[in-house]
Every structure is written in C-alpha cells, then in structure tokens.
Amino acid sequence: MPKMKTHRASAKRFKKTANGGFKSASAYTSHRFHGKTKKQRRQLRGTRMMNKTTVKTYAKLLSTL
C-alpha cells in the first residue's frame, strides 16, 4: 500500500506542537479592520490553537497519526 501524501495546503497553514495540538493564524485578519473594535483587532494578532474536535481530521491530512 502506498504512503499517504501530506496535504500541502494544510502543511503551509498549520504547525504541529510538541503536545500533539495544532496552531494556526487567526481568521478574519486580511481586510476590513475599520469594522472591528480595537479589542477584536488586538486579539486577532498571533496564532491560535486548533479546536480539539478537528485535530484528528487535520492530523490525518498532515499524515501525523
């Protein structure tokens, strides 16, 4: 059986952490900041941890199971 290929689009967007989680950039950060409050803009900076319910799906895409 051939090896499972890594989903390249996912590999560019998500990084695996040492404890097995995934981190990624926040959504809603490309444009239209005038409609967001200062608090929203501040909290959208940096990275976010992926929800536990979707980790298994993305781990399979990234061939890390």
Side-chain angles (χ1 to χ4, degrees), residues 21-46:
F22 287 97
K23 63 180 182 176
S24 64
S26 304
Y28 311 109
T29 59
S30 59
H31 61 103
R32 291 188 57 164
F33 290 106
H34 62 274
K36 295 172 177 64
T37 63
K38 269 189 177 227
K39 182 178 179 180
Q40 281 177 307
R41 284 180 273 162
R42 187 172 61 247
Q43 290 178 343
L44 285 170
R45 286 187 213 132

Side-chain angles (χ1 to χ4, degrees), residues 16-22 49:
K16 190 173 183 196
T17 62
N19 290 330
F22 287 97
M49 291 302 294

